[in-house]
Amino acid sequence: MPIINHRAPLQCLVAVRGHPFDRTAFDAMFQAMDGIAATMVDQPAAARLMNPEGMRGFDVLVLYDMPGLDFESPENPPLYLEPEADLRSGFQALLEQG
């Protein structure tokens, strides 16, 4: 497990989960990039950070998740799940902040 590079010029929060992927290879891609420290956070915990306070200390947010689809539902296509009000307002505040 890599250490956190607190002095990297770019601090990156990576939201993951919701679809299958090779987590080790995905993390290795970020670790191979000079000047980037990536912190992966699984959904639903990542949603709690998607607001100005939660993103304090991070420069960029990478979304590699699919929290709005219920893949365990028997419906085809999967059911769409509305995001919680806190996520909607927090994410909107991030967008407004730039």
Side-chain angles (χ1 to χ4, degrees):
M1 179 174 279
I3 61 169
I4 299 170
N5 183 353
H6 296 283
R7 293 180 183 84
L10 191 64
Q11 297 293 323
C12 180
L13 176 67
V14 184
V16 297
R17 200 165 181 189
H19 57 85
F21 69 102
D22 184 333
R23 187 182 194 104
T24 302
F26 190 63
D27 182 59
M29 177 183 70
F30 285 98
Q31 298 303 322
M33 296 180 195
D34 289 333
I36 293 178
T39 302
M40 282 194 205
V41 179
D42 287 53
Q43 288 293 10
R48 293 182 174 88
L49 299 172
M50 293 181 192
N51 58 67
E53 182 62 29
M55 285 295 296
R56 191 178 314 272
F58 291 101
D59 302 302
V60 65
L61 173 62
V62 174
L63 301 174
Y64 196 68
D65 57 349
M66 297 178 80
L69 297 175
D70 181 359
F71 289 104
E72 293 180 335
S73 167
E75 302 292 323
N76 189 10
L79 289 178
Y80 172 73
L81 305 172
E82 284 287 331
E84 294 182 17
D86 287 347
L87 174 58
R88 287 194 311 264
S89 62
F91 196 76
Q92 181 67 40
L94 274 177
L95 294 176
E96 290 170 357
Q97 195 177 51

